[in-house]
Amino acid sequence: MNETAFDESLFAGLKPGLTSFCYRMLGSMDDADDAVQETCIRVWQSWSTFRQDASFKTWVYRIASNLCLDKLRQSKRRALPVDLFDPAVAIAEPRDTLPDTAWIWPSPDFGGNPEDRLVRRDTLQLCFIALLQTLPPRQRAVLILKDVFEWSSKQIAETLAMSPAAVNSALQRARETMDRAQLRSDELSSMDVQPEQQLLSRYVEAFEQFDIAALVALFHEEGCMSMPPFEMWIRGKEDLSAFYSLTRWHCEGSRFVPITVNGGYPALAQYMPGEEGTGLVPWGIHVIETKENQILHVQNFIHTPLFSRFGLPERMDR
C-alpha cells in the first residue's frame, strides 16, 4: 500500500506528452482531453495501489492507453474527406455531412519542452494522423510509443501488458500496414515543407477581397479544397472557380487570423460576416499545403469549437 499523498505536479509534468499521445491515438483534441482528464482521475483514485518501485510514467501511460483502447473499440475510424470520397463531379453548395466524430481535427500546441516539440513535429502532420487511424488500436499504440516517443520494447510491453516479443511483432505489422496504406491525403500532403509567407499573404489578400481569379491562380493545376464535416471536396482550377463563385455570398467580407496547428505548422482562422451584420464570427481553420510554391490542398476545417480551443476570440469587428 502506497501511503504517500498523491502529488499532482507529477502528473502535470506528464500531461503534454500524454495529450499528444492521446491525440495521435484518437485523432481529436476533444477526445484526447477527455482521455487525459479521465487518466488523471483514475491515477488519483488508484494512487494507493501504485508501487513506488515501478515507473510512475509507465503506470500512467498504461492507464491512458487502456482508456484510449476502450474508446477506440466503441468508435469508427476517423478520417479526412479526400480519403473517404472522390472529388465532386458536379459543383453545388455542400450539403451532406458526417458527424464530428467521423473526422480528424487539427490540434493546437500541447505545451511542454522544446525536445517534445521536435518529437512531435513530423508525426503531427494531418496525413500521418490519418495513417495512424488505419491501424488496429493496439498496433497504433505500439507504433506511437516506439516510433514517435522512442520507448524501448520493454517499456512498451510493461505499458500495454504485452510480452516484448508481442510488441516487436505488433510493431512490424504496424509498419507494414503504414507502408502499404495508399491514402490520398498522404499524396496531397506537404506539411513538412512550410508554405512561403508570401504565398500565404497572397491567399489572404485574394480571399479577403474575394478576387476569385487571383485566388484560383494561386492553386496548382491539381489543387484541391476539402471542408470537413462536409463530404464534398473540390479538385482542379475550373471546379474551384465555380465553387468560389457559387459561395461568394457566404464568404465575401471574411477576415483571417494567422495561427499554427499540429506542431507549429502555419494556418489561418477564417471569420465571416455574422447574420446580424455587425461583426465577424468564426467559420473555419484553413490548413494550406503547397507544391512548387503553389497551393496543392486547402483543408478548411469548419468546426467552430476549434476557435476557442486555439484561444481565438468568439467575435471580431469588421
Side-chain angles (χ1 to χ4, degrees), residues 36-208:
V36 171
Q37 181 65 25
E38 181 62 26
T39 298
C40 183
I41 292 169
R42 293 195 185 184
V43 167
W44 176 72
Q45 290 175 335
S46 306
W47 182 243
S48 63
T49 68
F50 171 58
R51 299 190 311 277
Q52 293 282 37
D53 57 336
S55 163
F56 176 71
K57 184 176 182 178
T58 300
W59 182 62
V60 171
Y61 270 82
R62 181 185 304 151
I63 294 171
S65 299
N66 286 334
L67 281 165
C68 288
L69 294 172
D70 287 344
K71 190 171 185 64
L72 289 167
R73 288 188 193 101
Q74 303 164 20
S75 61
K76 294 182 179 179
R77 174 171 74 98
R78 288 179 180 267
L80 296 166
V82 296
D83 293 327
L84 295 181
F85 306 99
D86 288 329
V89 176
I91 303 305
E93 287 186 32
R95 301 287 185 195
D96 296 331
T97 64
L98 292 179
D100 292 344
T101 54
W103 304 112
I104 290 165
W105 300 106
S107 75
D109 193 9
F110 302 114
N113 57 44
E115 291 81 6
D116 189 37
R117 291 190 183 95
L118 290 174
V119 167
R120 287 204 309 267
R121 191 168 183 86
D122 64 335
T123 61
L124 273 175
Q125 297 178 39
L126 290 163
C127 68
F128 185 80
I129 302 298
L131 276 170
L132 284 174
Q133 308 310 302
T134 66
L135 297 175
R138 191 166 292 273
Q139 287 183 28
R140 191 182 314 174
V142 168
L143 186 131
I144 293 168
L145 291 173
K146 184 69 172 181
D147 288 358
V148 178
F149 288 83
E150 299 181 347
W151 284 24
S152 68
S153 295
K154 181 175 182 292
Q155 272 183 296
I156 299 169
E158 291 172 358
T159 301
L160 299 178
M162 302 167 67
S163 68
V167 166
N168 293 332
S169 176
L171 180 65
Q172 182 180 350
R173 294 197 303 275
R175 286 172 175 168
E176 289 171 353
T177 299
M178 293 275 278
D179 288 341
R180 284 197 310 271
Q182 294 183 332
L183 297 184
R184 192 183 273 125
S185 60
D186 194 32
E187 297 171 12
L188 294 173
S189 178
S190 56
M191 283 184 72
D192 54 331
V193 180
Q194 294 201 5
E196 291 187 11
Q197 186 56 49
Q198 186 181 20
L199 180 61
L200 289 178
S201 298
R202 290 164 63 198
Y203 179 83
V204 169
E205 182 181 3
F207 202 109
E208 290 187 348

Side-chain angles (χ1 to χ4, degrees), residues 238-271:
E238 186 176 336
D239 285 353
L240 285 164
S241 181
F243 182 80
Y244 284 129
S245 297
L246 193 64
T247 56
R248 173 186 287 276
W249 66 274
H250 185 271
C251 289
E252 201 166 23
S254 292
R255 293 290 180 269
F256 285 105
V257 174
I259 61 170
T260 58
V261 302
N262 289 59
Y265 192 84
L268 300 162
Q270 178 192 355
Y271 286 78

